[in-house]
Amino acid sequence: MAKSGDIFSVNDLSDGDLDRLFCATRNAKAHGFDNRFSNKILLTAFFEPSTRTRLSFEMAAHRLGLKVLSFDQSFSSMKKGEGFLETMANLLAMKPDICVVRCGQRLEPKMFDNESPMINGGDGVNEHPSQALLDCFTLLEHFGTDDLFKKKILIIGDVAHSRVAHSNIKLLKRLSAEVILLAPQALRLRHDLGQDLEVSSFSAVPGEISAVMCLRLQKERLIGGLSSDLDLTDFCLTMPRLLRLGTKSLVLHPGPMNLGEEITKEVALCPKSLIYRQVENGVFVRAMLINHCLS
Ligand code: NCD
């Protein structure tokens, strides 16, 4: 369990926190942001590449009136040999009011001596809580409901190495969704996170899926590279496959997309795709997460 105020996992938010967060997000979307943190500083410390997550947190912080500092690893003393923990200890010693960190290893609460709240912006293969929050918010918003009861959510691709999948499985289950995983044998989930069903081909997916979440193959995390018998064409979401999953099935992807690999361009841009809505909602959800941590 993280220290109070830290969000390392979706499970660091109680059911009440989740309700309040989603309600505040709906409010911010309807009425705009409350710019009340102009005396606070948010630090983003990203030790892995990012487009959406880092800029979305920074955009959210600016919208709330915070000042933003962004750590740039390529111009840092890590180039002189300083390690991750020592770098983080120095960044936290400067006492930002809130820090968002992304790194290649699993974050543990006891790693840092932080006074100010920390948010996990993606830690190795472990979790990516803000992504799962914005994914679930986007689904709830689309369905106009407070939970995902009776909704079948299919997650396709590299489930083994996807922190997005890990956080989503936990959160989707908490919101009462039925979670089905479709992955090649070598990329199946390594732990039981409460998923309902795991299948290894599109034909084995039970019909009428409410939403499909595609995952990028995490090539950077494959130890020993790709096995030559791993044929991912069987797991790419094409339009005929989407139509077979259900006439109303929505499409999600956390990005970055490798078009033609895990999803075709036609599917990514089709009317049932919520992919850019996810990005739009990310700013609102992250703003309300910052607000939650600072309040
Ligand atoms: C994901 C990540 O970094 O875990 N992207 C994101 O934050 N939007 C997914 C990925 O890299 O495939």
Side-chain angles (χ1 to χ4, degrees):
M1 196 69 178
K3 289 193 275 285
S4 159
D6 289 348
I7 306 293
F8 283 8
S9 160
V10 287
N11 288 343
D12 293 328
L13 291 162
S14 68
D15 290 346
D17 292 335
L18 278 180
D19 280 350
R20 283 187 287 277
L21 187 88
F22 289 145
C23 180
T25 305
R26 278 191 289 273
N27 246 323
K29 280 197 83 172
H31 306 293
F33 296 94
D34 183 2
N35 183 323
R36 65 191 178 99
F37 290 115
S38 55
N39 59 342
K40 304 275 186 203
I41 298 175
L42 172 129
L43 173 71
T44 49
F46 277 48
F47 297 82
E48 282 192 346
S50 168
T51 299
R52 279 150 291 267
T53 306
R54 184 171 67 80
L55 286 173
S56 178
F57 267 113
E58 293 182 358
M59 180 76 82
H62 280 291
R63 295 280 187 220
L64 293 174
L66 286 97
K67 294 171 189 72
V68 173
L69 275 181
S70 187
F71 166 73
D72 183 345
Q73 188 179 352
S74 59
F75 283 97
S76 75
S77 290
M78 290 185 91
K79 292 281 167 211
K80 303 177 193 170
E82 197 161 51
F84 167 68
L85 287 178
E86 184 55 16
T87 303
M88 278 304 298
N90 279 276
L91 296 179
L92 294 171
M94 295 177 204
K95 310 266 185 259
D97 296 289
I98 180 162
C99 178
V100 184
V101 59
R102 165 173 289 194
C103 58
Q105 62 197 94
R106 186 190 176 106
L107 288 174
E108 303 283 355
K110 53 185 180 302
M111 267 180 179
F112 310 110
D113 183 19
N114 56 313
E115 285 167 28
S116 42
M118 290 184 66
I119 300 176
N120 176 2
D123 61 333
V125 298
N126 182 39
E127 279 223 36
H128 194 343
S130 67
Q131 182 68 44
L133 288 166
L134 76 90
D135 293 340
C136 288
F137 177 82
T138 302
L139 289 172
L140 293 171
E141 177 185 59
H142 181 89
F143 294 124
T145 50
D146 290 329
D147 64 30
L148 296 170
F149 183 59
K150 293 208 163 160
K151 304 290 183 223
K152 275 190 189 176
I153 314 296
L154 175 67
I155 303 181
I156 309 178
D158 185 359
V159 183
H161 302 102
S162 172
R163 51 198 180 200
V164 172
H166 299 157
S167 286
N168 260 303
I169 295 166
K170 293 180 188 174
L171 194 58
L172 286 164
K173 290 302 297 176
R174 281 180 62 187
L175 292 167
S176 307
E178 189 180 330
V179 178
I180 304 166
L181 307 178
L182 166 57
Q185 192 62 38
L187 303 176
R188 286 175 88 148
L189 192 64
R190 304 277 154 86
H191 319 279
D192 185 351
L193 295 178
Q195 68 277 11
D196 294 282
L197 182 65
E198 287 187 81
V199 294
S200 50
S201 71
F202 271 96
S203 56
V205 176
E208 284 311 313
I209 293 297
S210 318
V212 190
M213 185 180 295
C214 291
L215 304 172
R216 179 182 68 88
L217 176 67
Q218 308 280 296
K219 295 184 184 111
E220 67 278 26
R221 304 193 201 281
L222 292 176
I223 304 151
L226 266 182
S227 151
S228 54
D229 56 9
L230 185 63
D231 186 3
L232 290 171
T233 49
D234 289 345
F235 298 89
C236 177
L237 188 63
T238 60
M239 197 47 96
R241 285 173 178 160
L242 176 65
L243 293 174
R244 252 180 273 130
L245 290 174
T247 48
K248 293 200 187 124
S249 181
L250 303 164
V251 178
L252 301 177
H253 193 309
M257 291 187 280
N258 285 316
L259 294 174
E261 286 190 23
E262 70 275 8
I263 187 169
T264 62
K265 186 174 178 186
E266 191 190 9
V267 172
L269 299 180
C270 78
K272 290 189 290 185
S273 165
L274 298 180
I275 294 171
Y276 292 103
R277 179 65 58 84
Q278 289 172 268
V279 179
E280 179 190 338
N281 285 341
V283 175
F284 290 95
V285 169
R286 290 183 170 117
M288 294 308 112
L289 194 58
I290 293 170
N291 181 68
H292 164 86
C293 291
L294 289 177
S295 300

